[in-house]
Amino acid sequence: MSKEDGWSVEVFSMLQNMEVQQVAYVPDAGHARLIELCEADSRMRAVPLTSEEEGVALLAGAWLGGERGVLLMQSSGVGNCINMLAMIQECRIPFLTLVTMRGEWGEFNPWQVPMGQATNGLLHNIGVIVHRPDTAERLVEVVNAAAHLAFDAGRAVAVLISQQIIGFKDWHK
Amino acid sequence: MTPQNEIILDRRASVARILADRGDALLITGLGSTTWDAAAVGDHPNNFYLWGAMGGAAVLGLGVALAQPQRRVLVITGDGEMLMGLGGLATIAVQRPGNLSIVVIDNESYGETGMQKTHTHHGVDLAGCAAAAGFPVSRTIYSRDELEDIVSLLYAATGPVFAVVKVAATAAPTVLPSRDGPYLKDRFRSAVLGDRATG
């Protein structure tokens, strides 16, 4: 089992246990295995988006209709979500997002750096609680805690997943 | 403009006609005029009014429709709001929720900001966009007869259904429903979920 498979399978299992049913995503390589697992599960509905803010609106609707959801995206997509997250904050809708980070650890593409560096602060400023696991071993535990904070305490929570712990894109292969 | 495309419908009368047949349908309204239109018809616990989140109404409706597949979900929004979320039409078409209907009350103007013309005034065909995305039913409504025809489809056709109702760019009195987000959310969830709302 590769490093990515390991955490993806465990996070998927945790999302199942938390009864997450709508999985909205704009693909990122870091989420590829998790997306496959969610698409293959008949109790989950994987919803590909054209842009990340759709996922915020979708999950607000899911909650209004009685379902839990999660938004999978890359850090560049966080910038697309900011105004839609104002609704999450004002209505106090539980919201969980798993953000794979670009623009920091070992980044090759300079165009990823500004948004990657701004991600944490932007989420904080719009009222989203940010969790950052510091090791791969703690990732699943942190996602689990974030899901409880979101759905039990009715909060907006983001888990930022660094390439430091899931590996980074090697442009020199 | 051809005679059959003359814009004669009134937004308040059109929304009132559509909602007269709502039954137990769930309603999401886009920020601005369509929220006032729905409030003018009468407040209802099955209504969730957006006061922000511009561009999100249709996809928010998708989330409700997927969570409540046995209920009809109706989104009523404006042309400016829908234009901001055009990508959502593609996302909705791919999911193909049979129980979701979207109505755009199209006055070809941004009503809350000084009646500046929207893209629909310059020829952008929203019903064409929805049809091209893959909506099985997509219509543009100009007449009372066409409105009558679409009302039954909104509540009974296998969706997603998309209808653009062309309305005159006339001012209607502002009718304000509650704007408290937590109240609107909790009221809607209680109406839909009953005891499960607090779980």
Side-chain angles (χ1 to χ4, degrees), chain A residues 22 45-50 53-55 57-58 60-67 83-84 87 90-94 151, chain B residues 48 50 53-56 59-60 62-64 66-68 87-88 90-91 95 179-182 185 188-189 192-193 196:
Chain A
Q22 295 192 29
R45 171 76 81 123
V47 181
L49 312 165
T50 70
E53 69 266 32
E54 292 172 12
L58 182 89
W63 181 254
L64 287 170
E67 287 192 344
N83 185 55
M84 211 63 82
M87 165 175 58
E90 162 53 22
C91 296
R92 200 143 72 80
I93 293 171
F151 299 119
Chain B
F48 185 76
L50 291 170
M54 187 164 176
V59 177
L60 192 147
L62 172 64
V64 179
L66 294 177
Q68 290 289 324
T91 294
Q95 295 303 314
R179 60 185 180 278
D180 184 66
K185 171 203 63 173
F188 186 90
R189 276 174 53 88
V192 176
L193 303 169
R196 279 213 303 133

Side-chain angles (χ1 to χ4, degrees), chain B residues 7 79 106-110 116-118 120-121 166-167:
Chain B
I7 295 175
D79 44 307
D106 182 5
N107 67 352
E108 304 186 350
S109 312
Y110 292 103
Q116 299 88 350
K117 296 302 180 193
T118 67
T120 62
H121 179 76
K166 289 284 188 179
V167 297

Side-chain angles (χ1 to χ4, degrees), chain B residues 166-181:
Chain B
K166 289 284 188 179
V167 297
T170 50
T174 301
V175 179
L176 304 180
S178 170
R179 60 185 180 278
D180 184 66

